[in-house]
Amino acid sequence: AQKITQTQPGMFVQEKEAVTLDCTYDTSDPSYGLFWYKQPSSGEMIFLIYQGSYDQQNATEGRYSLNFQKARKSANLVISASQLGDSAMYFCAMREFNYGQNFVFGPGTRLSVLP
Amino acid sequence: DSGVTQTPKHLITATGQRVTLRCSPRSGDLSVYWYQQSLDQGLQFLIQYYNGEERAKGNILERFSAQQFPDLHSELNLSSLELGDSALYFCASSPRVGGADNEQFFGPGTRLTVL
């Protein structure tokens, strides 16, 4: 069965520092996608980055990169040069492409960026 | 502004009632997703439509149904409402079904309160 684990309920980082948010997953489907989303306190949901299970390179989008370690089933989000506006909830999610295309979300990590 | 609109922003209703949530995707996007976010269940994927056809089904209750119309807007119908249906309902759109193009654009959400 699909499962996403985010072991860090809350994280603090100093402004301009890099931070890694952990995400591990479990699936038996060889074809899947991994997603990260950001939800600021205002409540909107923002898609950040996507990694496919067959992608050879780690995905990057500006200051966001996804550290994909397939053998360890981990998909950590790295935010470089943190900004105050990065303070938010971050959700990791997985979608299995062969088994019903369902999305499963992790419980989220609340990131606080300190000035 | 993501370009995805959802109406209404807030909805307060009573148990046993039926409501309809509406979503208009970004211009040109063919795929619409529905998600539920509640304190109890966290984020859950409900259903996805692509160009009018159901594409994937998640944890959608039988009391809930959705459709996507020829103009690509989508409606989520919730009936026989229970207190536990109180949640933030997000709609998202993306240009295609899946695969490499998995970027999703989220609407602001509809906050449903069942009293």
Side-chain angles (χ1 to χ4, degrees):
Chain A
Q2 287 176 286
K3 189 174 178 183
I4 292 280
T5 302
Q6 294 181 258
T7 57
Q8 307 150 314
M11 289 273 289
F12 290 91
V13 65
Q14 211 66 42
E15 197 178 3
K16 298 177 187 170
E17 299 284 310
V19 63
T20 298
L21 306 184
D22 294 343
C23 173
T24 57
Y25 60 91
D26 191 23
T27 180
S28 54
D29 190 341
S31 179
Y32 54 89
L34 297 155
F35 302 74
W36 278 93
Y37 302 88
K38 172 185 177 182
Q39 188 174 38
S41 57
S42 51
E44 76 264 32
M45 192 69 67
I46 302 166
F47 166 87
L48 293 178
I49 197 167
Y50 167 80
Q51 178 87 39
S53 59
Y54 293 118
D55 293 343
Q56 295 295 315
Q57 303 215 333
N58 287 343
T60 60
E61 288 288 345
R63 293 185 300 109
Y64 304 107
S65 60
L66 200 152
N67 184 359
F68 180 45
Q69 297 188 44
K70 196 169 181 176
R72 297 180 62 184
K73 293 190 173 177
S74 79
N76 298 339
L77 177 70
V78 181
I79 306 175
S80 63
S82 297
Q83 301 172 356
L84 295 177
D86 294 334
S87 294
M89 280 290 285
Y90 288 82
F91 294 96
C92 178
M94 176 178 65
R95 187 175 205 189
E96 293 175 334
F97 291 124
N98 289 327
Y99 303 156
Q101 304 246 2
N102 191 18
F103 280 88
V104 171
F105 288 83
T109 294
R110 182 169 296 283
L111 177 67
S112 298
V113 180
L114 305 174
Chain B
D1 185 353
S2 67
V4 178
T5 60
Q6 287 187 251
T7 56
K9 286 195 78 168
H10 301 277
L11 196 48
I12 301 174
T13 187
T15 54
Q17 295 297 304
R18 173 189 168 94
V19 297
T20 296
L21 313 184
R22 183 189 167 104
C23 169
S24 293
R26 291 188 324 154
S27 176
D29 283 359
L30 299 176
S31 205
V32 168
Y33 307 75
W34 286 98
Y35 300 89
Q36 179 197 60
Q37 186 177 30
S38 65
L39 287 174
D40 290 345
Q41 310 267 9
L43 263 167
Q44 292 200 90
F45 165 67
L46 297 179
I47 198 163
Q48 178 196 356
Y49 277 84
Y50 177 76
N51 203 19
E53 294 194 5
E54 184 184 301
R55 177 66 182 172
K57 214 170 204 177
N59 302 320
I60 188 165
L61 300 172
E62 284 195 15
R63 300 184 286 109
F64 296 1
S65 65
Q67 53 184 323
Q68 187 179 27
F69 294 87
D71 67 352
L72 301 176
H73 91 270
S74 179
E75 292 181 357
L76 179 67
N77 301 296
L78 315 176
S79 62
S80 303
L81 283 167
E82 302 175 0
L83 296 176
D85 298 328
S86 295
L88 185 57
Y89 291 84
F90 285 108
C91 161
S93 73
S94 67
R96 293 179 239 209
V97 170
D101 296 293
N102 273 283
E103 184 170 9
Q104 296 162 44
F105 298 86
F106 283 79
T110 292
R111 169 77 61 189
L112 174 66
T113 302
V114 182
L115 301 175

